[in-house]
């Protein structure tokens, strides 16, 4: 089992920045991907960004490219999401997820095995 814990959410004005952190513990020796997703009430959970811990390749949703940066530390099983130039439409609960799947391309949401409880990000206009 892997435990996933997010931190760093909060309230920020449009144009501001936040940094989310994710820590995975437990059976982490076979973690290959860490990803960030977000969800609003009544909507499906959507992909934001992901990081391959083995290749260090990163992937981003078009809506956040150029504004968000994902980084990670394979040795410590941590991942961070630096969010700059935040917009009101970025408001959501943000979830971190971990996958044991090794892949040369980005994973689908169904490929993630473990999820955190989520952290709220609210961007005011």
């Amino acid at each position: 089992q892997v435990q996933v814990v997010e931190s760093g959410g909060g309230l920020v004005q449009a144009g501001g920045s936040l940094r989310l952190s994710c820590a995975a513990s437990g059976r982490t020796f076979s973690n290959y991907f860490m990803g960030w997703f977000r969800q609003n009430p009544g909507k499906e959970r959507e992909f934001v960004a992901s990081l391959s811990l083995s290749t260090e390749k990163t992937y981003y949703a078009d809506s956040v490219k150029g504004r968000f940066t994902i980084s990670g530390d394979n040795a410590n099983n941590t991942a961070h999401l630096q969010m700059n130039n935040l917009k009101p439409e970025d408001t959501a609960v943000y979830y971190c997820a971990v996958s044991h799947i090794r892949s040369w391309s980005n994973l689908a949401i169904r490929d993630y095995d473990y999820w955190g409880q989520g952290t709220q990000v609210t961007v005011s206009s």
Side-chain angles (χ1 to χ4, degrees):
Q1 285 284 5
V2 176
Q3 293 76 45
V4 181
V5 178
E6 307 98 337
S7 61
L11 173 64
V12 65
Q13 287 188 331
S17 299
L18 280 174
R19 186 173 188 254
L20 305 183
S21 295
C22 174
S25 60
R27 182 177 170 263
T28 59
F29 60 89
S30 58
N31 291 344
Y32 291 114
F33 262 83
M34 294 184 79
W36 286 97
F37 299 81
R38 63 188 182 187
Q39 188 173 23
N40 279 303
K43 294 190 176 181
E44 291 190 356
R45 193 167 296 187
E46 64 175 9
F47 168 75
V48 175
S50 64
L51 168 69
S52 168
L53 295 175
S54 56
T55 66
E56 298 184 350
K57 193 169 182 180
T58 57
Y59 303 87
Y60 296 94
D62 288 343
S63 59
V64 306
K65 278 181 182 176
R67 301 187 298 122
F68 291 12
T69 302
I70 187 171
S71 60
D73 182 341
N74 196 4
N76 295 315
N77 284 284
T78 57
H80 307 282
L81 186 68
Q82 178 66 41
M83 305 185 295
N84 297 329
N85 191 22
L86 282 160
K87 303 175 181 180
E89 51 263 44
D90 294 318
T91 295
V93 176
Y94 282 70
Y95 297 90
C96 179
V98 171
S99 174
H100 292 326
I101 294 177
R102 188 196 298 263
S103 174
W104 291 104
S105 59
N106 198 18
L107 301 182
I109 189 171
R110 63 179 180 273
D111 294 325
Y112 285 84
D113 306 288
Y114 304 99
W115 293 81
Q117 293 299 307
T119 184
Q120 177 70 46
V121 171
T122 303
V123 184
S124 63
S125 56

